[in-house]
Amino acid sequence: MKYFLYISAFSILGFSCRPKEEPVPINEPFELQAPSYFGEFQHRIPEDNQLTAAGVDLGRHLFYDKRLSRDGSISCASCHQQEKAFQDGEKLAIGIEGRVGERSSQALVNMLWSEKFNWDGSAASIEEQVSGPLTDPLEMDNDFPTIISTLEGIELYHGKFEESFGTPEITEDRIAKGLAQFLRTLISSDSKYDQYLRGEYQATQQELRGMQLFFTHPEPGIIRGGNCGDCHVGPLTAGAIEGFRGFHNNGLDDDEQLKNGLMDVTENPMDKGKFKAPGMRNIALRAPYMHDGRFATIEEVLEQYDQHVQMNSNLDILVLEGSNEPIVPGEPIKLHLTEQEKEDIIVFLNMLTDESFITNNALSNPFEE
Amino acid sequence: MKQFTILFTLLALLLFNSCDKEELSCDKEELTQTITLEFNHVFDAQDFTVGEQAYELASGQEVVFTEFKYYISNIKFVAGDRVYAVPDSYHLIEVRPNDPSTYVLVLNEIPIGYNMEIELSIGIDAEANSNLDHNMGNLDPAKASNMPWTWNTGYKFLRVEGEFTDLGGNRRGLVMHPGEDANYKQLRFTRSTIIDGIDVEDKFYFRVNVSELFKNPNTIDLEEQNTFMFMPASAVIGENYANGFIELIN
């Protein structure tokens, strides 16, 4: 009798405060390293998809596995190649059977410091984003029942799903989670600029000038600037993190040519022509440029911002009010940068190349090891 | 009998093994409470929202605001000659598009007895403003987001952006990014009604009148100047927000 009392009392104590739990995956957490100047990121990792060693490994295999496409010809890595900073060097993404997409492949990097994904902000999480390319007819043109059945037939994945999620069941949700875990590890933070920020590299005078110009919004007569940092914000050099803040209409097109961009998602006319401002890490490796790959070189990009900003009715006001010369209202906005200044900015942009990121074996194709 | 003693001990342990946090700490030395600051943003008689609504400035221009945020820092509660300074007090107040006009700031573990007078500052104090290594409160780079001037140390104290149409019919931008130490303004407020007794929770209601940014003492005419980023142009904004921009209602 007395043992019964002890056992039941201790059991009540033991279960008094814990919520019901799912089977715990039997693998260790995967610790992410990121510089403090990028800012906190833990809270952007979903509660139900914390990174684990097995989950990242699963995601990495899925990322490089061509069998996820309908005809087994392309994988995620086909459009997101590590040596090109995880994009493909093409104007527009090329999917299955050579089908040409509507947008340029984005460079996958530092995605933990973003809340909205795709050029038009249509995905609210990485987990949500990855389903798109897998099922889009212009990309991998597959469907989840087929993908699941394919993966079930591959012995390699039996153990990986079990280790990652506790049971061997393969689901759409788990495929997305695995991929998202791997994608969150694509952190680039060891360029010369990063080393400079950490006091490990002595920047040249030209690099410092370029850096200053990049981040400065010009004020005629007071300070000269390239006006890049308003949209390519801070050490991440990317669009602001919260919500759709990092989406901007940078004057690529006039009202007639202007595509909807973010407006397709928010249905707000003030969002017409806004696209995601990507981070600039490894930008030297990421030609061609813009959401439709219209500029083959960085020099062309600089020329666009300096001389050819289009005055559409929704032009970002920080571009509208950004010039090194006094602005004449109603006239096209030009930055009026000198040739030296443009050169300096490009030197800074080259500082953002991170060799270790594009050669990191942990991010490479596991099928070719 | 021994069984019952053990059972009672276990049951007693069970009773105190609760999961909810109490707001009043039970330390005999110091009772604390939670104080909430509510910042209700208005434009004179209207609610202030970001994104769609146009507001008429004292100068007559109609502006749609697209961004509105500012730093409140170094909050102190005052009781006579005693001052309690909230630690790591750097708060980024924001009215986001489609969000309500009221911003709520919750401050925990404030000692009891300090809730008659409050001091707060607009902007960042000089020490923190000259050091981008601080990760306190909203100075964390990820939360601060587009507030630091990356090319130089320091933060924008206010980030107000919007658009308007000028007299020539052109679409123009309003860009207000005041910063720099001279624009750091300390404000002090005293409650008019005495709060009776000790409450676990207390609330201060502030009225933040965006219209005041554009007048009192300086009437801002966007036809003359529509970008305010550095001194001396930004000094007028600092003077305006030191005066009537934030008021304590209760």
Side-chain angles (χ1 to χ4, degrees):
Chain A
M1 174 59 185
K2 125 171 116 166
Y3 291 116
F4 174 73
L5 272 178
Y6 286 162
I7 290 166
S8 53
F10 277 121
S11 321
I12 294 167
L13 255 182
F15 289 110
S16 62
C17 260
R18 247 179 320 140
K20 191 145 173 262
E21 283 177 55
E22 296 221 322
V24 177
I26 42 151
N27 71 103
E28 331 93 67
F30 187 103
E31 293 292 329
L32 282 174
Q33 298 296 325
S36 63
Y37 51 80
F38 277 8
E40 281 177 20
F41 56 87
Q42 286 297 339
H43 60 288
R44 267 188 300 274
I45 301 176
E47 279 292 323
D48 65 353
N49 198 23
Q50 298 290 312
L51 271 72
T52 63
V56 170
D57 178 67
L58 167 66
R60 181 175 159 208
H61 281 81
L62 291 171
F63 185 83
Y64 282 98
D65 199 329
K66 294 184 174 163
R67 293 169 288 193
L68 266 63
S69 56
R70 178 177 45 75
D71 64 356
S73 64
I74 57 171
S75 67
C76 309
S78 305
C79 290
H80 300 287
Q81 303 161 22
Q82 184 179 16
E83 66 272 19
K84 296 195 173 111
F86 290 98
Q87 48 98 52
D88 57 14
E90 302 286 346
K91 204 158 178 280
L92 298 168
I94 300 172
I96 203 168
E97 292 169 6
R99 296 175 189 173
V100 179
E102 289 160 1
R103 294 276 173 268
S104 188
S105 300
Q106 289 190 289
L108 306 179
V109 60
N110 295 342
M111 295 167 78
L112 259 178
W113 290 271
S114 236
E115 287 181 2
K116 302 287 182 185
F117 303 91
N118 291 329
W119 285 108
D120 59 3
S122 50
S125 69
I126 301 177
E127 285 81 354
E128 202 185 299
Q129 194 284 335
V130 296
S131 317
L134 288 170
T135 55
D136 193 315
L138 292 176
E139 300 186 58
M140 293 161 86
D141 196 22
N142 213 339
D143 58 79
F144 273 100
T146 307
I147 294 175
I148 290 168
S149 148
T150 302
L151 293 176
E152 279 169 352
I154 302 172
E155 214 198 304
L156 174 76
Y157 288 109
H158 297 170
K160 291 192 188 297
F161 275 89
E162 175 153 23
E163 266 185 49
S164 304
F165 301 107
T167 69
E169 212 195 336
I170 300 178
T171 64
E172 178 178 339
D173 184 58
R174 289 178 172 192
I175 291 168
K177 285 192 159 114
L179 280 166
Q181 286 196 33
F182 171 66
L183 290 172
R184 292 195 169 97
T185 68
L186 303 183
I187 295 178
S188 175
S189 60
D190 205 30
S191 68
K192 272 204 286 189
Y193 173 57
D194 293 287
Q195 291 164 28
Y196 158 82
L197 286 174
R198 295 192 294 262
E200 297 161 14
Y201 170 73
Q202 180 104 323
T204 65
Q205 283 306 307
Q206 187 173 36
E207 285 169 339
L208 289 171
R209 286 198 311 265
M211 195 184 302
Q212 162 110 357
L213 286 164
F214 180 90
F215 287 113
T216 303
H217 182 107
E219 189 80 2
I222 299 182
I223 192 163
R224 292 189 67 82
N227 208 21
C228 323
D230 280 344
C231 297
H232 296 283
V233 180
L236 283 160
T237 63
I241 297 173
E242 58 277 2
F244 294 116
R245 274 297 153 69
F247 288 71
H248 298 278
N249 177 330
N250 61 352
L252 281 176
D253 290 307
D254 60 24
D255 279 314
E256 248 184 64
Q257 302 287 332
L258 193 64
K259 296 285 186 292
N260 286 346
L262 181 62
M263 184 170 95
D264 276 341
V265 173
T266 63
E267 293 176 354
N268 181 349
M270 284 178 82
D271 288 338
K272 183 164 191 203
K274 287 187 186 175
F275 290 89
K276 185 168 174 164
M280 297 282 101
R281 290 286 179 301
N282 300 298
I283 195 67
L285 309 174
R286 286 159 56 179
Y289 303 103
M290 299 299 172
H291 62 279
D292 55 6
R294 63 178 65 187
F295 298 127
T297 65
I298 289 252
E299 283 78 5
E300 282 173 55
V301 174
L302 266 282
E303 269 311 294
Q304 161 68 20
Y305 282 119
D306 190 55
Q307 292 293 312
H308 306 300
V309 165
Q310 301 297 302
M311 301 288 279
N312 67 61
S313 51
N314 201 29
L315 179 64
D316 194 298
I317 56 130
L318 290 171
V319 176
L320 183 62
E321 300 296 337
S323 176
N324 286 285
E325 303 292 317
I327 289 170
V328 180
E331 279 188 16
I333 296 293
K334 294 179 192 291
L335 276 174
H336 297 291
L337 291 167
T338 66
E339 287 312 307
Q340 181 67 56
E341 285 169 337
K342 290 181 212 168
E343 214 187 276
D344 293 348
I345 291 174
I346 293 176
V347 162
F348 169 67
L349 290 173
N350 281 309
M351 271 183 99
L352 294 166
T353 302
D354 180 357
E355 280 301 319
S356 69
F357 179 67
I358 57 172
T359 56
N360 185 353
N361 284 322
L363 310 177
S364 305
N365 191 344
F367 296 103
E368 281 172 12
E369 274 171 353
Chain B
M1 186 54 207
K2 190 162 153 207
Q3 285 170 275
F4 285 116
T5 317
I6 294 171
L7 186 58
F8 275 130
T9 317
L10 288 174
L11 279 174
L13 281 173
L14 179 64
L15 270 173
F16 286 114
N17 186 24
S18 63
C19 287
D20 41 318
K21 244 200 275 190
E22 291 180 324
E23 283 172 338
L24 270 178
S25 81
C26 289
D27 194 328
K28 248 206 288 181
E29 306 284 330
E30 202 172 359
L31 284 172
T32 65
Q33 64 177 164
T34 295
I35 295 188
T36 301
L37 309 185
E38 255 188 45
F39 295 89
N40 186 30
H41 297 85
V42 300
F43 197 96
D44 292 331
Q46 306 170 67
D47 282 340
F48 174 74
T49 58
V50 165
E52 277 181 36
Q53 171 90 37
Y55 296 98
E56 192 178 315
L57 307 183
S59 56
Q61 285 113 8
E62 291 206 4
V63 178
V64 175
F65 291 87
T66 52
E67 188 153 341
F68 194 90
K69 48 205 224 189
Y70 54 99
Y71 276 114
I72 295 287
S73 69
N74 295 293
I75 298 176
K76 300 184 173 109
F77 292 94
V78 182
D81 55 0
R82 292 172 300 147
V83 176
Y84 175 76
V86 178
D88 288 348
S89 174
Y90 296 92
H91 318 276
L92 188 54
I93 314 272
E94 187 174 1
V95 180
R96 294 172 70 162
N98 306 316
D99 265 7
S101 324
T102 300
Y103 186 95
V104 177
L105 181 59
V106 179
L107 301 169
N108 290 312
E109 291 173 22
I110 310 296
I112 298 277
Y114 284 83
N115 50 359
M116 281 308 294
E117 257 186 85
I118 181 174
E119 191 184 290
L120 53 83
S121 302
I122 299 181
I124 308 287
D125 56 281
E127 202 211 316
N129 199 28
S130 59
N131 183 357
L132 268 177
D133 287 337
H134 283 231
N135 281 335
M136 303 167 301
N138 283 156
L139 293 185
D140 174 285
K143 295 196 193 110
S145 190
N146 56 8
M147 295 302 265
W149 279 314
T150 319
W151 49 268
N152 202 354
T153 51
Y155 296 82
K156 305 175 186 81
F157 293 169
L158 239 81
R159 192 179 167 117
V160 179
E161 289 164 17
E163 50 186 88
F164 66 100
T165 307
D166 69 10
L167 289 174
N170 303 299
R171 180 171 170 264
R172 305 295 306 285
L174 161 69
V175 183
M176 278 165 71
H177 297 173
E180 298 170 272
D181 296 333
N183 278 325
Y184 177 70
K185 306 291 184 187
Q186 290 169 288
L187 309 169
R188 185 177 273 214
F189 304 95
T190 308
R191 268 180 158 147
S192 50
T193 51
I194 304 204
I195 309 293
D196 257 337
I198 291 170
D199 218 338
V200 167
E201 258 190 43
D202 194 4
K203 255 190 195 170
F204 282 72
Y205 293 91
F206 290 95
R207 183 169 180 265
V208 183
N209 188 355
V210 178
S211 167
E212 290 286 328
L213 279 179
F214 299 91
K215 59 183 181 187
N216 288 338
N218 306 294
T219 301
I220 307 294
D221 186 344
L222 299 182
E223 283 293 325
E224 283 174 21
Q225 176 97 26
N226 59 324
T227 62
F228 305 85
M229 301 181 86
F230 311 112
M231 290 298 213
S234 63
V236 293
I237 308 300
E239 283 166 22
N240 284 0
Y241 63 61
N243 182 14
F245 174 55
I246 300 183
E247 303 236 307
L248 178 65
I249 304 300
N250 184 15

